[in-house]
Amino acid sequence: MVIRGFGPTGRAGGLPPVIGTGSPTPADPPVKAILCTRPGSPDDLVLADIPDPVAGAGEIVVRVAAVGLNFFDTLIIAGKYQRKPPFPFSPCGEFTGVVESLGPGVTGFAPGDRVLGYITYGAARERAAVAAENLVKLTADLDLERAAALAITYGTGLHALRDRAQLEHGETLAVLGAAGGVGIAAVELGKLLGARVIACASTDAKLAFTRAHGADELVNYATEDLRDALKRLGGEHGIDVIFDPVGGRYSEAALRAIAWEGRHLVVGFAAGEIPKLPLNLTLLKGCAVLGVYFGDWVRLRPDASRASLAELAQWAAAGKLSCHIDRVYSLAEMPQALKSLTERRAMGKVIVRPDL
Ligand SMILES: NC(=O)c1ccc[n+]([C@@H]2O[C@H](COP(=O)([O-])OP(=O)(O)OC[C@H]3O[C@@H](n4cnc5c(N)ncnc54)[C@H](OP(=O)(O)O)[C@@H]3O)[C@@H](O)[C@H]2O)c1
């Protein structure tokens, strides 16, 4: 990765609002940030000095303690995500940290508060100025690394299983990509909501990991046909809910094992291919294919999503959710950290800490 200076001209060059809308003074020291300057791979990212952010009206400057990585970070830097920020921008959409200063008009926060932020992109830096509405306060009983693993993965999992699928106690839930970030969250949340959970993944080591996190049944879809395995485990009734962040050839295989009135949750396409499903299957099964879009749910239903996040934080603090961290990387190691996702190696959540 190239390490190079990034002078004040960066602001005019399109840095996102997380640089802050207040005015930096010449005495402000620069902060280290990961910047994406053009569409590309993790190796094309640069570690740069940018001006210290200053909180504008309604903003809060946060010292970033831990950044949670997600698969979509690899898409947004490649220009393949539904949101396409102007260049240069910092990737990474969720973080935890400590409030340093408040802009005009901000109430309800104070310097020293521990917070969690969800901003879609802009978190990969030492300090960020963030709209207060994108932050929630954290209680002292949840450490900042684990909390950085909470918002998007568990938020998506709970929104999908409870709001979209209305998963019921005693139903059977199959989770594809079950050892990944949203996958392991869905396994744990499925158990908490009272489901029988079938974890599906590509290696036995990943499946052992899901078993340790509560999965009842395991399917290795690299060595066993997914449809046959789910038909066997679903029995005559079939699989009530399919949580599908993988896509590709796995989606149709799973749908073929769904129950009457089952719900297939379309969460993502980590396999790289957006599948086409034969609609006759939905007719024959009387089932529903349900889209899940956490980002828009947060934007369109702010009160519901904040309540959900508060509930998740309580569960995590009480030890009901693991927020398992695969590995912690430094800011300079961002390319390796992102490649652990694209190379299908990570189990649970990958974290970057700017202070390392
Ligand atoms: N809809 C939403 O609101 C929402 C929210 C969050 C995430 N997502 C989406 O959900 C998906 C997973 O996100 P994540 O952050 O949990 O990712 P992750 O931690 O990298 O997990 C993805 C999993 O997908 C499986 N996979 C299959 N083929 C793959 C491939 N070619 N490359 C990488 N992984 C592959 C892997 O499991 P195996 O090796 O076991 O197959 C891996 O564990 C992404 O598509 C993401 O965009 C959607």
Side-chain angles (χ1 to χ4, degrees):
M1 178 161 47
V2 184
I3 300 183
R4 69 177 193 211
F6 193 84
T9 50
R11 298 196 69 201
L15 280 177
V18 284
I19 192 67
T21 54
S23 303
T25 66
D28 287 333
V31 304
K32 294 261 179 286
I34 292 292
L35 294 181
C36 177
T37 58
R38 58 191 164 92
S41 74
D43 287 324
D44 296 316
L45 296 170
V46 293
L47 179 63
D49 289 332
I50 60 168
D52 204 13
V54 178
E59 292 177 344
I60 294 176
V61 169
V62 179
R63 179 168 46 77
V64 177
V67 182
L69 301 199
N70 291 279
F71 191 83
F72 79 82
D73 300 324
T74 71
L75 301 176
I76 207 166
I77 64 170
K80 293 179 180 167
Y81 190 60
Q82 48 258 42
R83 289 277 302 275
K84 295 186 174 46
F87 298 106
F89 70 91
S90 288
C92 301
E94 65 182 328
F95 67 97
T96 54
V98 177
V99 170
E100 291 206 328
S101 58
L102 310 179
V106 175
T107 55
F109 290 89
D113 281 348
R114 305 160 84 252
V115 289
L116 182 154
Y118 171 49
I119 53 176
T120 310
Y121 65 93
R125 52 183 59 194
E126 290 174 316
R127 270 192 215 87
V130 181
E133 66 202 30
N134 292 126
L135 298 173
V136 293
K137 278 201 261 186
L138 289 170
T139 50
D141 46 7
L142 189 57
D143 77 74
L144 291 178
E145 266 183 24
R146 285 183 67 228
L150 194 65
I152 295 180
T153 44
Y154 287 91
T156 301
L158 191 57
H159 171 51
L161 297 178
R162 199 166 60 181
D163 304 323
R164 301 295 286 137
Q166 298 178 3
L167 179 70
E168 285 181 17
H169 199 276
E171 287 194 314
T172 298
L173 165 70
V175 179
L176 313 189
V182 292
I184 200 67
V187 169
E188 292 182 7
L189 290 166
K191 287 308 296 175
L192 262 181
L193 296 172
R196 168 180 173 245
V197 176
I198 303 173
C200 311
S202 65
T203 70
D204 289 345
K206 286 185 175 187
L207 289 169
F209 171 72
T210 66
R211 172 81 87 197
H213 288 256
D216 299 292
E217 315 274 359
L218 311 176
V219 175
N220 182 333
Y221 48 47
T223 58
E224 194 175 359
D225 182 84
L226 180 61
R227 184 189 74 153
D228 293 349
L230 290 181
K231 277 189 176 263
R232 174 173 50 80
L233 292 168
E236 210 168 301
H237 175 77
I239 307 292
D240 295 297
V241 175
I242 295 162
F243 183 91
D244 180 5
V246 178
R249 66 193 166 88
Y250 301 109
S251 298
E252 184 177 333
L255 184 62
R256 285 185 179 277
I258 205 165
W260 171 251
E261 296 186 338
R263 289 84 78 205
H264 185 126
L265 293 161
V266 180
V267 179
F269 314 104
E273 183 205 328
I274 299 175
K276 291 185 170 53
L277 297 173
L279 281 182
N280 65 316
L281 293 181
T282 64
L283 182 154
L284 293 171
K285 305 279 186 173
C287 70
V289 177
L290 298 168
V292 177
Y293 189 180
F294 179 69
D296 260 16
W297 180 64
V298 170
R299 189 172 64 79
L300 297 168
R301 299 280 185 275
D303 292 343
S305 58
R306 286 174 88 86
S308 164
L309 193 53
E311 194 174 8
L312 288 168
Q314 273 176 5
W315 286 346
K320 294 180 179 173
L321 305 174
S322 72
C323 300
H324 178 90
I325 293 169
D326 179 76
R327 193 175 147 188
V328 180
Y329 295 83
S330 69
L331 213 47
E333 292 170 325
M334 181 64 82
Q336 294 95 298
L338 287 172
K339 281 193 278 188
S340 73
L341 299 180
T342 56
E343 292 168 3
R344 221 168 160 172
R345 285 184 276 112
M347 289 194 246
K349 196 77 175 177
V350 176
I351 296 290
V352 165
R353 267 185 40 193
D355 64 332
L356 292 180

